[in-house]
Amino acid sequence: MTARYCSLAQQSAPAFTPGLAAERLDALVSGHRMWVSGTVLHYCFFDRDTDKSSVHDPETGETRRVSWVGGKEQQDVVRECFQEWQDLGIGLSFKEVRDRSEAELRIGFQLGDGSWSTVGKDALRVGLNERTMNFGWDLTVPGERGTALHEIGHALGMLHEHQSPFAGIHWDDEAVYADLAGPPNFWSRDRTFFNILRKLDPNEVNGSAWDPHSIMEYPFSAGLILEPEQFRAGLNPPGVLSEADRKFVRRWYPPTEPSGPRELVPFRSAPLRLGPAEQADFVIEPPETREYTVGTFGDSDTLVVIFEERDGEPRYLTAQDDGGTAHNATIKARLVKGRRYFVRVRLYANWGSGDTAVMCW
């Protein structure tokens, strides 16, 4: 029987500045959805009677309103899986909050809508009263815990492993379309192509080699894969984090050592020299409430991120990289008098080093 599959929403390809060098473009493609190491990702569960939407039942043709609220047992599975990812010692941490306006990740349990998640920072484009992740079936059933690990993997920026161009999978396309058109998925041809048959850009994939044991790999029944030959009888990943999964997130999210905040007085830093993947934090205390521009200026390609201090910890606010053209990054954000903000400057792991200064005006 065909498994129930995660279905990602189709997104348009990101647009980058024309004329970028191939090496710089590759770095931007591979990292445009990834969070900055050191970020605290806040998550919440929908809990109101009004948190619901319409679901179409393809078997009966009926449409009905279905709640997004999940029970404690379902929520506990998700909590445990967030902790399992964090226990890898990565440079991200997760914190549950009750206020959805404080959460980058907002989680529903709507039956009939499938299981899915936005990918990485795509979550920041979603409205505060909308889901960034959904679980459409019972996570407490034996073997379904891997669904929660899989969707959190998407939230960290990981994509489907079977779509890696390094996999060398030769599909029986029509058999795949026919299989996914029936129960329990009822997918259209477009959805099947986007989530299964489409090959990813080599710079988007989770690693340089295919990992059939990855938590991001779908199981497939016999008769769908023609090559490699050993998977003609089916592909059955174990549903746990593989060693390659662990290496991928540790590479993207290495543990960060606090560098100590450096005060911006008056909103301008002395030049600092950063090496590849190094970062420094600055503190801004705006003298008035208005929209400010924060920028980095220097000879190296940088990423600038603004965090707002909430309850003694930094909360992700917004970010911008330099675009690979002028080695400068500028970003606009509305800052409120009386609040503290952290500006994190980070050099790309594989792109130069040099003097960088930070200004706010």
Side-chain angles (χ1 to χ4, degrees):
M1 178 179 175
T2 300
R4 290 174 292 194
Y5 292 146
C6 156
S7 174
L8 296 185
Q10 296 191 33
Q11 297 282 351
S12 57
F16 298 111
T17 304
L20 292 179
E23 183 182 5
R24 185 72 176 95
L25 183 60
D26 290 348
L28 289 172
V29 170
S30 62
H32 76 279
R33 284 170 163 157
M34 310 303 286
W35 304 96
V36 176
S37 196
T39 298
V40 178
L41 288 178
H42 305 80
Y43 68 91
C44 72
F45 299 109
F46 285 96
D47 58 0
R48 302 173 188 168
D49 292 340
T50 54
D51 292 330
K52 60 179 64 176
S53 61
S54 297
V55 173
H56 177 73
D57 186 337
E59 291 190 284
T60 65
E62 297 179 352
T63 298
R64 56 194 176 93
R65 300 277 289 177
V66 180
S67 173
W68 298 350
V69 180
K72 182 179 182 301
E73 290 186 351
Q74 303 290 326
Q75 295 177 4
D76 283 346
V77 174
V78 179
R79 293 184 180 105
E80 292 169 4
C81 289
F82 272 116
Q83 190 62 50
E84 183 169 342
W85 279 107
Q86 185 170 323
D87 286 346
L88 298 180
I90 60 177
L92 293 179
S93 58
F94 308 101
K95 181 177 180 180
E96 184 178 349
V97 294
R98 294 292 301 273
D99 186 348
R100 64 188 64 179
S101 69
E102 297 290 326
E104 293 85 13
L105 309 178
R106 296 176 296 281
I107 303 167
F109 296 85
Q110 187 183 48
L111 299 178
D113 192 36
S115 292
W116 49 265
S117 172
T118 53
V119 178
K121 290 191 299 183
D122 286 351
L124 300 177
R125 305 177 184 177
V126 179
L128 290 178
N129 292 310
E130 298 297 327
R131 294 165 291 171
T132 70
M133 186 183 298
N134 187 73
F135 295 101
W137 49 80
D138 187 355
L139 299 179
T140 66
V141 172
E144 290 297 346
R145 187 174 183 276
T147 298
L149 289 171
H150 179 103
E151 301 307 340
I152 295 172
H154 282 315
L156 297 182
M158 301 177 74
L159 294 172
H160 287 144
E161 191 68 16
H162 51 273
Q163 294 183 269
S164 168
F166 306 124
I169 296 179
H170 180 198
W171 301 96
D172 184 333
D173 290 7
E174 291 305 319
V176 173
Y177 284 127
D179 192 61
L180 271 293
N185 296 288
F186 298 102
W187 281 5
S188 67
R189 290 177 72 91
D190 284 347
R191 179 169 290 190
T192 298
F193 176 80
F194 185 80
N195 284 281
I196 296 182
L197 301 179
R198 177 181 61 98
K199 300 298 183 187
L200 299 172
D201 185 298
N203 293 301
E204 292 184 285
V205 299
N206 303 334
S208 58
W210 176 43
D211 176 21
H213 305 293
S214 171
I215 193 63
M216 307 310 295
E217 174 61 67
Y218 283 179
F220 291 103
S221 56
L224 303 182
I225 297 175
L226 300 178
E227 301 290 342
E229 186 175 354
Q230 65 265 36
F231 297 112
R232 291 180 183 176
L235 172 59
N236 296 289
V240 298
L241 301 183
S242 70
E243 187 57 35
D245 294 333
R246 299 165 190 262
K247 289 180 178 178
F248 175 79
V249 293
R250 286 172 180 153
R251 174 171 64 86
W252 268 108
Y253 302 118
T256 56
E257 296 294 332
S259 59
R262 307 185 187 192
E263 294 290 342
L264 270 180
V265 183
F267 296 93
R268 180 174 180 173
S269 74
L272 63 147
R273 178 166 288 273
L274 296 177
E278 290 183 346
Q279 65 186 35
D281 291 347
F282 299 85
V283 175
I284 292 178
E285 295 180 348
E288 59 180 303
T289 298
R290 63 178 175 86
E291 185 176 77
Y292 289 87
T293 299
V294 180
T296 60
F297 301 88
D299 297 327
S300 52
D301 285 349
T302 53
L303 173 74
V304 59
V305 188
I306 299 178
F307 299 87
E308 180 178 351
E309 185 180 62
R310 298 278 186 91
D311 300 323
E313 69 175 30
R315 180 179 180 275
Y316 190 99
L317 185 62
T318 187
Q320 181 65 47
D321 64 59
D322 62 16
T325 56
H327 303 302
N328 298 325
T330 58
I331 188 169
K332 291 184 180 295
R334 182 173 175 81
L335 307 183
V336 178
K337 180 180 179 179
R339 295 182 184 174
R340 285 164 55 92
Y341 298 85
F342 296 90
V343 178
R344 176 162 297 165
V345 181
R346 180 178 175 86
L347 265 65
Y348 282 92
N350 60 346
W351 195 263
S353 62
D355 290 332
T356 297
V358 183
M359 295 182 67
C360 178
W361 66 94

